[in-house]
Amino acid sequence: MSHKKIKSALISVYYKDNLEKVIEILQKHGVTIYSTGGTFDFIKNITEVRSVESLTGYPSILGGRVKTLHPKVFGGILSRRDNDSDKTDLAKYEIPEIDLIIVDLYPFSETLASGATQEEIIEKIDIGGISLIRAAAKNFKDTLIVSSRDQYSSLVELLESKNGATDLEDRIRYAADAFEITTTYDRNISDYFASLLNKEKFTLNISPSNKLRYGENPHQKGVFFGKLDEIFTQLHGKEISYNNLLDIDAAFALINDFKEPTYAVIKHNNACGCASDANPLEAWKKALAGDPVSAFGGIIITNTSVDKQVAEEINKLFFEIILAPEYSGEALDIFKTKKNRIILNIKSNNRPKEQFRSILNGVLVQDIDSVSEDASYLKPVTKKEPTVQEISDLLFANKLVKHSKSNTIVLVKDGRLLASGVGQTSRVDALKQAIEKAKSFGFSLSGAVMASDAFFPFPDCVEIASKEGITSVIQPGGSVRDQETIDFCDSAGISMVITGYRHFKH
């Protein structure tokens, strides 16, 4: 029978917040309530409640470690209502059926994060609660499991709309949520014990899921797991695609390294335009000028508010997505003239500390590249040192090179990206690509700076750069031939600084 009236409930929770409304609706529908410990004390001030001890004939023992672990509790939860043998057992041992279980788990992760002692942490490993959740979820055909205080309001709505009853679909949904909760809980405990042994392990459990139209290509299935609404709010536009999310992620990573007003245009995970300026309108114009061809259909991100004047300039370009921390009402009206254009309001740019990708028959995990060099990282290695403006441009270029596909060379002047060569199999090819691109858009490279994501194995790149008028270079250093490159820079009057940090990105 799919539609089932709730006649009895067992409630044992750590958090009592908003529980009162649940108790009141159960009382309204004449549900018999069993409880124990602090939850029993809470409920008895609202309505009649029976203690679990009166059901089992045993008190809570071992300092509260054992309260509900008893056949008269689990028999009532796990009994199959349409099974004659189960019915006989219930009658023989005087076990009441229990239709609703409301349980949350001891706050293990919160206790761990608080810096508690090991003894305190271990005591927050739930035994009875997680057993109750698993039992009720397993018997979803007959029992409803509420396994989080976040579900209290939806439970009240459910019981109000269905007159104190539930349907099979409801019970399956709550059971699925319950197993997600227990999986995450057990994973956190497993990770804790692995840390005690200094053991590296990879586990992941992310929800909810968001099915995408398709993956990277139309013939590929695509799903995003996570809570995008914690990162941004979509104010307008069509559904976000798989490739959109890749570009959005690249945009977030890049803009996070800039403090001054900055605009960037992202295409296929690389910046094709980027500029910083105290005047946001100028920042946008300079960013677009970097590559107005690639900018078509790209993704725009900024770390500053977008007003009407800037919006009118941006709106001259066809673009898919814009991300900003704030928009004026007039700017939004301008952007919304395109029905499918995606407008995102940035809420948070807190990035995970690790990143991973599936590879072969396993997973690669690494720390994110969190190094964002400032002037203190720069070690001059040439006779000529960079000027104040060149240092500013070198740091700007180095931020861009960090977020571009390797091998990559970035050319910058006056706080704007002139051109970049990305994803090349040789550093020389990357430089040649950047030079050709800069010239195609009418930029002079005289006085520009050059950044490389990795060391120069030979002096060939600085030789080419010198011919184009580039005056300063930033690179990680570390090649056995570094001195050859430095010697050439000295002979050509080019300044060079070394950071000591490589920024490969594959």
Side-chain angles (χ1 to χ4, degrees), residues 310-317 319 334-335 337-338 341:
V310 179
E312 286 174 338
E313 283 297 317
I314 294 175
N315 203 47
K316 295 175 182 179
L317 173 74
F319 62 93
I334 290 168
F335 290 145
T337 55
K338 299 293 184 181
R341 178 179 288 159

Side-chain angles (χ1 to χ4, degrees), residues 286 288-293 411 413 416-419 433-446 448 468:
K286 291 177 181 178
L288 177 62
D291 188 345
V293 175
L411 307 178
K413 186 177 180 181
R416 69 193 288 181
L417 171 65
L418 299 182
Q433 181 189 62
I435 291 170
E436 181 181 349
K437 197 171 187 181
K439 288 181 175 180
S440 73
F441 292 116
F443 291 121
S444 167
L445 294 177
S446 177
E468 300 298 334

Side-chain angles (χ1 to χ4, degrees), residues 436-494:
E436 181 181 349
K437 197 171 187 181
K439 288 181 175 180
S440 73
F441 292 116
F443 291 121
S444 167
L445 294 177
S446 177
V449 306
M450 175 172 73
S452 175
D453 60 335
F455 64 64
F456 296 109
F458 304 99
D460 46 9
C461 279
V462 291
E463 291 171 1
I464 295 169
S466 174
K467 293 176 183 177
E468 300 298 334
I470 289 166
T471 57
S472 194
V473 177
I474 186 170
Q475 60 133 329
S479 168
V480 294
R481 295 175 177 265
D482 272 349
Q483 194 57 50
E484 293 179 28
T485 300
I486 294 168
D487 289 344
F488 178 85
C489 287
D490 282 336
S491 66
I494 295 174

